[in-house]
Amino acid sequence: MTAVASAPGKVILFGEHFVLYGVKAVLCAIDRRITARSHAIGERLIRIKSSMGNAEFVPSSADIINAHPIFMRPFLTIAEQALREFGADGGIEMEFESEIPPGMGLGSSSAACVAAAASVAALFRKKTKDEILDMAIKSERTMFEDASGADSAVSTFGGLVTFSSEGREKIDYEDGLGLIIANSNQAHSTRELVLRVREFRSNNERLFAEMCDLEDRLVDEALTALRKNDLVTLGTLMSKNHEMLRRINVSTDVLDKLVAEACNTSYGAKLTGAGGGGCIIALVDESNTARTLETLKKISDCFVARIDLRGVCNE
Ligand code: PMV
């Protein structure tokens, strides 16, 4: 038997990093997906095949999972847990296909966890989106124990989502939010950037607390602007959010340049995700998409993204 599921990547519109300190983040699923194909196999094996490498192990203990490259651990964990939960005798082979560039802050690893959880579960019993999210977050934390779960939440449910330590909420928004995503081509490590911010916070406790309050207000204003589909205000707030991220040292010269160029023609722009590289997003509509793309194409790889409203899907 084979079960196929796909899940979208994401961008963070507001609140990255600050979300780890109680601020609400706003995320948007994008129309680039990862597909996971899971096959039930007769051998007592878990086999992972992906463009980033292959792994194979005999289901048994978490120690053995930890001997594999870190990015394989979530998938081995998902498959191992499913075999245990459903008391299956055989094994699972999982393959991935991705439209989301890895390591660029576009949520590729969370989308892979969500798609993997949905496809593996469907081999046995289809799970609810909440159950899939739970599996995905647990598996993601085998790779990065501090993951907030925000990326997996938006990948599971699609659309626009707010996320904080108090939970997640879907934002009703059916309009066609236009985003241009431009890649700095600088790889980053979310873990290192999170540690950098933690250090910034411990060296600047008062300032950081004030910045969290500021970010909180900015997110509230952004939610109001989204409800009114007020792109001018939304874009301005995105640019302000970029400034906040610069102040906590997670931007780079390349990201700042991309943002500055994008701001000349778009409604506003910011880095998205952990920073230190990865991508920027620029807010556009039909009036300024072509001009913004033209400018950014001269200095980066970029593409237009739309909201994905589906979230995780079994095929
Ligand atoms: O690099 P990304 O896109 O996975 O973004 C990480 C966002 C952080 O807020 C820095 C961490 C998190 O888990 O929310």
Side-chain angles (χ1 to χ4, degrees), residues 10 12 16-17 19-20 105 144 146-148 151 188 190 194 273-274:
K10 66 91 193 49
I12 301 182
E16 50 272 266
H17 288 289
V19 68
L20 296 173
F144 178 41
D146 289 335
S148 64
D151 290 15
H188 72 223
T190 298
V194 167

Side-chain angles (χ1 to χ4, degrees), residues 250-268:
V250 297
S251 192
T252 65
D253 291 347
V254 177
L255 290 168
D256 289 344
K257 180 166 166 53
L258 287 170
V259 166
E261 291 288 341
C263 281
N264 288 331
T265 48
S266 68
Y267 293 107

Side-chain angles (χ1 to χ4, degrees), residues 10-12 15-20 25 27 103-110 140 144 146-151 163 188-191 193-194 197 272-275:
K10 66 91 193 49
V11 292
I12 301 182
E16 50 272 266
H17 288 289
F18 297 100
V19 68
L20 296 173
L27 295 96
M104 288 297 155
L106 298 179
S108 62
S109 57
S110 303
E140 200 179 6
F144 178 41
D146 289 335
S148 64
D151 290 15
F163 189 95
H188 72 223
S189 149
T190 298
R191 173 192 289 275
L193 272 301
V194 167
V197 175
T272 184

Side-chain angles (χ1 to χ4, degrees), residues 2-314:
T2 297
V4 184
S6 67
K10 66 91 193 49
V11 292
I12 301 182
L13 293 179
F14 295 97
E16 50 272 266
H17 288 289
F18 297 100
V19 68
L20 296 173
Y21 303 94
V23 174
K24 219 184 255 175
V26 183
L27 295 96
C28 174
I30 55 167
D31 55 355
R32 295 271 172 134
R33 303 178 77 80
I34 285 194
T35 302
R37 258 187 197 81
S38 295
H39 313 279
I41 55 173
E43 295 156 278
R44 189 73 183 151
L45 271 184
I46 295 173
R47 196 178 285 133
I48 312 291
K49 294 179 174 173
S50 82
S51 59
M52 291 176 72
N54 301 329
E56 190 171 282
F57 96 121
V58 179
S60 54
S61 77
D63 291 352
I64 298 183
I65 289 180
N66 290 342
H68 284 274
I70 193 158
F71 62 92
M72 288 293 179
R73 289 179 200 168
F75 315 124
L76 296 171
T77 304
I78 286 170
E80 212 263 336
Q81 281 176 1
L83 290 174
R84 205 161 0 102
E85 181 182 339
F86 295 102
D89 297 330
I92 294 174
E93 183 173 298
M94 224 187 289
E95 300 168 80
F96 292 92
E97 252 169 65
S98 177
E99 302 168 345
I100 312 170
M104 288 297 155
L106 298 179
S108 62
S109 57
S110 303
C113 292
V114 173
S119 75
V120 166
L123 283 178
F124 303 98
R125 169 179 71 79
K126 222 172 140 195
K127 295 207 176 210
T128 63
K129 285 194 171 183
D130 280 306
E131 289 174 317
I132 289 168
L133 176 59
D134 191 52
M135 276 173 88
I137 292 179
K138 281 192 186 129
S139 72
E140 200 179 6
R141 289 189 177 146
T142 62
M143 187 168 59
F144 178 41
E145 69 276 16
D146 289 335
S148 64
D151 290 15
S152 294
V154 74
S155 182
T156 302
F157 292 96
L160 280 165
V161 170
T162 63
F163 189 95
S164 72
S165 45
E166 278 157 31
R168 71 185 141 74
E169 216 170 293
K170 196 151 178 170
I171 306 171
D172 278 329
Y173 185 85
E174 300 291 320
D175 292 292
L177 198 69
L179 293 168
I180 294 178
I181 299 181
N183 190 342
S184 70
N185 281 318
Q186 297 174 299
H188 72 223
S189 149
T190 298
R191 173 192 289 275
E192 276 166 31
L193 272 301
V194 167
L195 291 177
R196 191 186 297 175
V197 175
R198 196 178 289 167
E199 200 180 312
F200 177 90
R201 178 181 179 244
S202 60
N203 293 335
N204 304 275
E205 269 180 42
R206 234 180 71 212
L207 172 65
F208 194 80
E210 281 165 17
M211 290 181 81
C212 285
D213 289 344
L214 217 60
E215 183 76 14
D216 244 339
R217 287 202 291 277
L218 196 142
V219 170
D220 281 343
E221 286 172 41
L223 291 174
T224 306
L226 264 172
R227 270 180 227 116
K228 296 187 195 155
N229 205 23
D230 175 355
L231 298 187
V232 174
T233 304
L234 199 61
T236 308
L237 293 167
M238 281 169 60
S239 302
K240 278 192 184 165
N241 197 156
H242 183 73
E243 277 313 307
M244 301 277 284
L245 292 164
R246 261 169 59 87
R247 286 175 68 191
I248 57 172
N249 298 330
V250 297
S251 192
T252 65
D253 291 347
V254 177
L255 290 168
D256 289 344
K257 180 166 166 53
L258 287 170
V259 166
E261 291 288 341
C263 281
N264 288 331
T265 48
S266 68
Y267 293 107
K270 64 183 276 292
L271 72 83
T272 184
C279 294
I280 67 129
I281 49 174
L283 184 67
V284 289
D285 63 9
E286 55 294 336
S287 72
N288 52 10
T289 299
R291 274 180 301 151
T292 309
L293 261 182
E294 199 184 317
T295 315
L296 289 177
K297 267 198 174 138
K298 289 185 191 138
I299 49 172
S300 74
D301 298 327
C302 50
F303 61 93
V304 180
R306 306 250 166 247
I307 298 192
D308 165 279
L309 293 173
R310 292 183 297 158
V312 65
C313 294
N314 282 100

